[in-house]
């Protein structure tokens, strides 16, 4: 069996070559050898050379041979040049290579390595704190652990030789260094990414979340000056506990601009004051502040107008009399922006008291909400019809009234009877598929305003990744305020790398990580050598590396010749 080359001459005089896998068979009559084609590889100028090399190595592995690629040999150090593996090599362990390698490459590409190294060099420090921060950030994207877990367990499961000399105290010292220079790092890195990816920074999405702690008491700065962030508050998860408030500003693509860690009892207006003070000198151009209805208050609107100039906020339709009376009842046709997005402009007042509202409508969402409410009403009618006693003190009635799902459509009469509230059903139908946006920007178009707020879901996705799905910011084991803030900002760095990878590959990080986990490195050893070799690249892994424009590592990653003594 052999690789056969055939040529064909075209009408224009050009010659095209083809590769074929063939073997010789004797003709039954002439008894002369005749080539029989087993497989056609196609034109030589359209073939993927790496696939042929991979096929050669696959065959060589079965035969117990080593195939070397001369195009990759030149990039190897002298000690790692291909050699004949002795038969007495033993396997020590296999560790993950794909995720750490990609994260490290993006870490350098986004300017994080240079930024941290500049800080370390300016202070005259000799410890590789930049490597410690890389290890902690990469861990959040691979298998989140505590700082002790990163140093004690996780580093032994991945191939990051540059982090092998780190100690546990270096992790905490690196966090303190990051806390001290956080503002400088965030600003430099963000504008480096904005230039690198040509990001649009005219629209800034902002929101807050909470991170709770499993402790019984809140921090008391009078007893310890190093603590003061953990304060009792009502967390986003719905319980009362010591917590911190985490605020995040991102671009419309979901790239973090900056993060803040504030005491757990901070009000929304206090977070806006901090944002105004920190983003004022960033020169973001025409930045618009976009947030949900939780940020919409008279004080917040005044602060937003001073801080960012222009804002766009969602409104509570059912709680604001002006919106219920004037905005929702405003006559006029919707402008059809998309099949699932209709919008119209409503202007109330004149002069300085002039308010601009954008009333949006989604027909598909309206049908879904209408159908869902109809199912609830049919269920309630069946429940009332199935019980003789309609008393509101009956156990079945108490359970319905205690449910947030059914309570809004029920009422209790003067005679203490439970009934379906038909008025509440008609009132709820007015809001099907609608939402209202308030903005003080008269120049933004109707379409940009409606689509811009619809993109606010990107920050909700960022918070989900931070807290639950990927990076898992909680639980936090730190108590010092500087360590809590540094931990949150490390998680935000991980979110930044995650979003860059997702935007580049056009797929979620979970799928990217699954593909990269197939790339591993195995350590072989004997008395004379210690060698690290990677496994063959799968099609999924190769595609991810190509999309990220990261060169695959050589087959022999590292070769160390041990001294004879």
């Amino acid at each position: 069996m052999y690789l056969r080359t055939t040529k064909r001459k075209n009408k224009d005089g050009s010659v095209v070559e083809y590769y074929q896998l063939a073997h010789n068979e004797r003709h039954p009559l002439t008894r002369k050898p005749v080539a029989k084609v087993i497989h056609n590889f196609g034109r030589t100028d359209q073939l993927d050379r790496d696939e042929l090399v991979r096929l050669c190595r696959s065959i060589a592995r079965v035969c117990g041979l080593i195939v070397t690629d001369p195009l990759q040999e030149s990039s190897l150090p002298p000690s790692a040049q291909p050699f004949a593996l002795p038969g007495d090599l033993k396997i020590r362990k296999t560790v993950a290579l794909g995720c750490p390698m990609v994260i490290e490459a993006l870490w350098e590409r986004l300017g994080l390595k240079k930024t941290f190294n500049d800080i370390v060099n300016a202070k005259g420090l000799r410890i590789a704190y930049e490597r410690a921060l890389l290890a902690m950030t990469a861990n959040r994207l691979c298998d989140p652990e505590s700082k002790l877990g990163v140093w004690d367990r996780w580093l032994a499961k991945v191939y990051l030789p540059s982090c092998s000399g780190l100690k546990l105290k270096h992790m905490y010292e690196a966090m303190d260094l990051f806390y001290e220079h956080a503002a400088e790092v965030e600003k430099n890195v963000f504008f480096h990414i904005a230039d690198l990816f040509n990001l649009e920074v005219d629209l800034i999405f902002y929101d807050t979340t909470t991170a709770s702690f499993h402790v019984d008491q809140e921090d008391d700065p009078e007893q310890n000056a190093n603590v003061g962030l953990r304060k009792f508050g009502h967390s986003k998860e719905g319980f009362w506990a010591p917590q911190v408030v985490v605020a995040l500003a991102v671009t419309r693509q979901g790239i973090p601009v900056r993060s803040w860690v504030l005491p757990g009892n901070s009000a929304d207006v206090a977070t806006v004051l901090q944002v105004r003070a920190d983003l004022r000198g960033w020169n973001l151009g025409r930045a618009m502040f976009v947030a949900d209805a939780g940020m919409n208050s008279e004080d917040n609107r005044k602060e937003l107008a001073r801080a960012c100039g222009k804002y766009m906020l969602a409104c509570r339709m059912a709680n604001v009399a002006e919106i219920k009376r004037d905005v929702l009842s405003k006559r006029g046709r919707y402008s059809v922006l998309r099949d699932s997005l209709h919008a119209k402009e409503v202007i109330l007042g004149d002069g300085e008291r002039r308010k601009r509202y954008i009333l949006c409508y989604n027909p598909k969402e309206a049908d879904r909400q209408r159908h869902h409410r109809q199912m609830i009403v049919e269920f309630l009618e069946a429940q009332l019809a199935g019980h003789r006693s309609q008393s509101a003190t009956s156990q079945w009635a108490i359970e319905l009234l205690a449910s947030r799902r059914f309570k809004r459509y029920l009422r209790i009469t003067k005679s203490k009877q439970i009934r379906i509230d038909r008025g509440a059903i008609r009132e709820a139908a007015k809001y099907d598929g609608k939402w209202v946006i308030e903005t003080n920007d008269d120049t933004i178009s109707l379409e940009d305003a409606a689509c811009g707020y619809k993109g606010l879901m990107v920050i909700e996705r960022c918070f989900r990744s931070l807290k639950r799905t990927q990076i898992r910011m909680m639980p936090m084991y730190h108590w010092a305020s500087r360590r809590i803030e540094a931990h949150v900002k490390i998680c935000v760095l991980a979110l930044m790398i995650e979003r860059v990878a997702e935007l580049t590959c056009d797929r979620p990080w979970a799928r990217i990580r699954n593909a990269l986990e197939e790339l591993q490195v195995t350590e072989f050893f004997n008395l004379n050598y210690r060698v690290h070799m990677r496994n063959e690249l799968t099609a999924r892994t190769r595609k991810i590396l190509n999309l990220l424009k990261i060169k695959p590592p050589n087959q022999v990653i590292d070769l160390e010749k041990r001294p004879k003594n």
Side-chain angles (χ1 to χ4, degrees), residues 393-550:
T393 59
S394 302
Q395 182 62 34
W396 66 273
I398 293 174
E399 292 178 356
L400 289 179
L401 291 170
S403 171
R404 296 178 61 183
R405 184 182 184 187
F406 303 119
K407 181 181 178 180
R408 59 182 301 190
Y409 300 121
L410 296 172
R411 64 183 180 90
I412 300 176
T413 65
K414 294 182 179 180
S415 59
K416 304 300 180 182
Q417 300 291 307
I418 186 171
R419 295 287 185 269
I420 296 177
D421 192 342
R422 301 294 176 180
I425 295 173
R426 290 191 296 271
E427 183 68 17
K430 298 179 181 178
Y431 306 106
D432 286 347
K434 297 178 182 177
W435 67 95
V436 178
I437 304 167
E438 180 181 357
T439 179
N440 66 342
D441 188 357
D442 294 331
T443 62
I444 189 170
S445 66
L446 183 67
E447 182 176 3
D448 287 343
C451 297
Y453 177 76
K454 198 172 182 182
L456 185 62
M457 66 181 67
V458 72
I459 197 169
E460 297 296 339
R461 183 189 179 283
C462 290
F463 277 136
R464 284 198 302 274
S465 179
L466 269 178
K467 296 179 65 174
R468 291 185 292 274
T469 58
Q470 305 289 347
I471 300 170
R472 297 202 290 274
M473 183 172 59
M474 298 184 299
M476 278 191 275
Y477 303 100
H478 306 286
W479 57 271
S481 297
R482 67 181 190 280
R483 298 278 172 81
I484 293 173
E485 185 169 345
H487 171 81
V488 172
K489 290 187 178 297
I490 287 172
C491 292
V492 174
L493 289 183
L495 175 65
M496 182 182 297
I497 294 175
E498 174 189 304
R499 290 297 300 146
V500 168
E502 289 178 337
L503 292 172
T504 305
C505 298
D506 194 24
R507 62 199 70 196
W509 174 254
R511 290 179 58 189
I512 297 174
R513 184 180 59 189
N514 290 339
L516 294 175
E517 285 175 349
E518 298 176 356
L519 180 58
Q520 299 177 342
V521 59
T522 303
E523 180 182 346
F524 300 88
F525 73 97
N526 62 7
L527 293 177
N528 299 321
Y529 294 99
R530 186 175 67 91
V531 58
H532 290 89
M533 295 183 64
R534 67 163 173 84
N535 62 332
E536 294 292 333
L537 293 175
T538 63
R540 291 200 310 162
T541 306
R542 185 178 294 278
K543 186 174 183 179
I544 293 296
L545 295 179
N546 289 338
L547 290 172
L548 294 172
K549 298 181 180 179
I550 296 176

Side-chain angles (χ1 to χ4, degrees), residues 74-129:
S74 58
S75 60
L76 291 173
S79 59
Q81 292 294 338
F83 70 105
L85 287 175
D88 61 343
L89 279 180
K90 299 179 180 179
I91 297 177
R92 184 186 175 197
K93 64 177 180 179
T94 299
V95 295
L97 173 62
C99 277
M101 179 190 70
V102 166
I103 295 169
E104 184 176 11
L106 294 177
W107 176 273
E108 297 181 11
R109 187 180 300 174
L110 301 182
L112 288 163
K113 180 177 181 179
K114 181 181 183 302
T115 299
F116 284 118
N117 278 335
D118 290 345
I119 294 173
V120 171
N121 295 334
K123 284 183 163 291
L125 304 175
R126 297 184 178 181
I127 300 175
Y129 290 127

Side-chain angles (χ1 to χ4, degrees), residues 101 151 265:
M101 179 190 70
W151 172 77
N265 57 359

